[in-house]
Amino acid sequence: MPPYPIGILGGTFDPIHYGHLRPALDLLEELELAEIRFIPCRIPAHRGTPLITAEQRLALVQLATDGQPGFVTDDRELRRDGLSYMFDTLASLREDSGDEMPLCLILGTDAFRELHTWHRWQELPGLAHIVVMQRPGLLKPLIPVLEAFTTPRVVYDRFALRRKPAGGILFQPVTQLNISATQIRALLARGQSPRYLLPEVVLASIHTQSLYR
Ligand code: ATP
């Protein structure tokens, strides 16, 4: 029997919130993943500088995922110089896990729609499957180049992810939580509370360290 796939959830995590965590748990269980690796980027390639350091974002991810079986915090992007490209991250995970292990790059719908702007994006299916978790409010058609890339690769169930180590694209419904890190940062900047949008332990640490003021 082929091995259970490893899920890879990269992000800025500025900060991590329930919009990352609950859909990730949906995928872990629905797709029978061996684990999900939360990989905070050091320097994001597609956005401005995060408000807190990569080490601080990583520590919050660690707090949020601690104690959930199957959730793993992975610091490999912090150990690499330069911009944090997912291509390099997947290449290093592929090197660690060998040629047979199915890898699943997990993306929100919004991130997937921008995939054609990523470094070496057309080579990503050579390294991993792509699992798109549906995010509320983004149902516009894909741009033609991404549509042409996606259509021949679409797969429909978790078994397809186990049959091959890479190359499929699965659209997977997840719990719809319209939560963003942007919203949380804005609330904190205004002195309002983001409580119930992210784990209590993460919020406590944000307050203790006076982050996002
Ligand atoms: P920001 O508001 O700062 O842009 P974000 O909340 O989108 O941040 P990221 O760290 O950029 O968080 O997201 C990491 C990954 O998680 C991306 O693939 C993104 O699409 C996905 N994601 C973020 N929020 C949600 C959500 N509420 N539901 C499903 N996926 C999400």
Side-chain angles (χ1 to χ4, degrees), residues 10 12-13 17 19-20 47 108 110-111 135 177 179-182 185:
T12 315
F13 300 117
H17 52 71
H20 303 122
R47 52 184 290 162
D110 57 335
R135 195 169 185 177
L177 292 169
I179 299 172
S180 69
T182 304
R185 294 193 301 273

Side-chain angles (χ1 to χ4, degrees), residues 12 40-43 50 52-60 77-78:
T12 315
C41 62
R42 193 174 81 92
I43 305 177
I52 63 174
T53 67
E55 288 73 19
Q56 287 168 327
R57 289 180 284 111
L58 176 77
L60 296 179
E77 292 197 354
L78 271 66

Side-chain angles (χ1 to χ4, degrees), residues 170-183:
L170 177 71
F171 289 87
Q172 181 71 17
V174 293
T175 306
Q176 303 287 287
L177 292 169
N178 197 3
I179 299 172
S180 69
T182 304
Q183 173 196 12

